[in-house]
Amino acid sequence: MKHGLKRLCGAGALLLPLSVWLPVMAQQGPVVEDLRDQPRSFLDQTEVREEAGGSLVIFNQVQQHEEQLRQLRGQVEELRHQLEQLRRQTRQQYLDLDERLMAGSAGIEASPEVDDATARQVAETPSPSGTSADTQAAYQAAFAHVQSREFAEAIRAFEGFVAEHPDSSLTANGYYWLGELHSAEANLAEAEAAFRRVIDDFPDSSKLPDALYKLGLVKARQGEPEASRELLERVRDDYPDTSAAGLATDFLRQSL
């Protein structure tokens, strides 16, 4: 009887702490944690950091490329500016050279300027044989605008002259002066067309060597050195005793 009581008391002593502990554990929740809502593992976090680091590298590369592109654009603009300066300098060199070569010779200089003595000589030249008084008067009236340095008016006057007198002995001179005037005004395409009319339509004109020489200068100003050389050599070789041949030779020696 005593031994059975002891066993019951011992069992009770063991069950009592267990009965107290179980409700407490029940209130605290399960021992095994649900990791689904917990922060990512170290490996996952490392992958996230690697992804963020990769994006940062790409971003930096894009920034570097944009900066290089801005630098290249700046260099292109600088080169374009230098090229335009070089073109202006080249054109001015041709103009300056033409002015030096034409000093003291007949015609409008590229500045533009007109030699007064030459202008008076042209205006006072007697009418060529077979030229009517009206034709000579119209020609001299057009040239009067050249003397007065009224180049726009002179162009209009000579255009009217060649239109009204297409077959006179002064028509080639009219086209020549149109070439001179347009060249002085930097209308190079119009100057070329006028000089070519002298060369192609009036091969016996005394203005032919001068037209060839001036067209050679126009082609040089247009950036066509080979065409310029061909024209100037033609003047030098075909008309060696003319002042235009001497000017062409000087230009070839100094610039081409």
Side-chain angles (χ1 to χ4, degrees), residues 172-221:
N173 292 52
Y175 279 114
Y176 173 80
W177 282 107
L178 279 172
E180 286 275 27
L181 290 161
H182 281 302
S183 179
E185 294 287 276
N187 303 324
L188 300 184
E190 291 84 350
E192 178 180 358
F195 287 134
R196 288 198 181 279
R197 288 297 299 268
V198 178
I199 297 168
D200 296 338
D201 297 348
F202 304 93
D204 297 327
S205 170
S206 62
K207 301 304 293 183
L208 179 60
D210 295 317
L212 285 168
Y213 167 67
K214 283 307 183 82
L215 182 56
L217 299 188
V218 168
K219 300 309 289 183
R221 291 169 64 185

Side-chain angles (χ1 to χ4, degrees), residues 12-140:
L14 291 173
L15 292 174
L16 181 59
L18 183 59
S19 63
V20 175
W21 180 72
L22 288 174
V24 173
M25 291 297 295
Q27 294 177 1
Q28 293 180 351
V31 176
V32 179
E33 294 181 334
D34 186 355
L35 299 179
R36 290 175 296 179
D37 296 329
Q38 297 299 317
R40 295 184 178 181
S41 67
F42 175 77
L43 180 59
D44 293 338
Q45 294 179 14
T46 301
E47 291 177 351
V48 171
R49 286 195 296 271
E50 287 179 351
E51 291 176 359
S55 299
L56 182 60
V57 169
I58 294 174
F59 176 78
N60 290 336
Q61 290 176 345
V62 170
Q63 292 292 100
Q64 291 174 358
H65 291 162
E66 289 180 350
E67 179 62 26
Q68 292 173 355
L69 183 59
R70 283 192 293 268
Q71 293 177 357
L72 290 173
R73 285 174 177 169
Q75 293 173 2
V76 168
E77 289 300 320
E78 180 64 23
L79 290 173
R80 186 175 299 165
H81 176 67
Q82 293 177 1
L83 179 60
E84 183 59 31
Q85 283 185 323
L86 181 60
R87 286 174 176 169
R88 286 196 295 266
Q89 291 172 0
T90 302
R91 287 195 296 266
Q92 189 59 45
Q93 287 172 355
Y94 280 124
L95 292 175
D96 293 343
L97 181 59
D98 184 29
E99 184 175 352
R100 290 196 300 272
L101 293 175
M102 288 299 295
S105 66
I108 297 178
E109 299 175 354
S111 23
E113 291 291 336
V114 179
D115 181 73
D116 291 335
T118 301
R120 285 194 300 272
Q121 181 181 2
V122 171
E124 295 169 0
T125 299
S127 301
S129 176
T131 301
S132 68
D134 290 341
T135 301
Q136 178 71 12
Y139 180 84
Q140 291 181 344

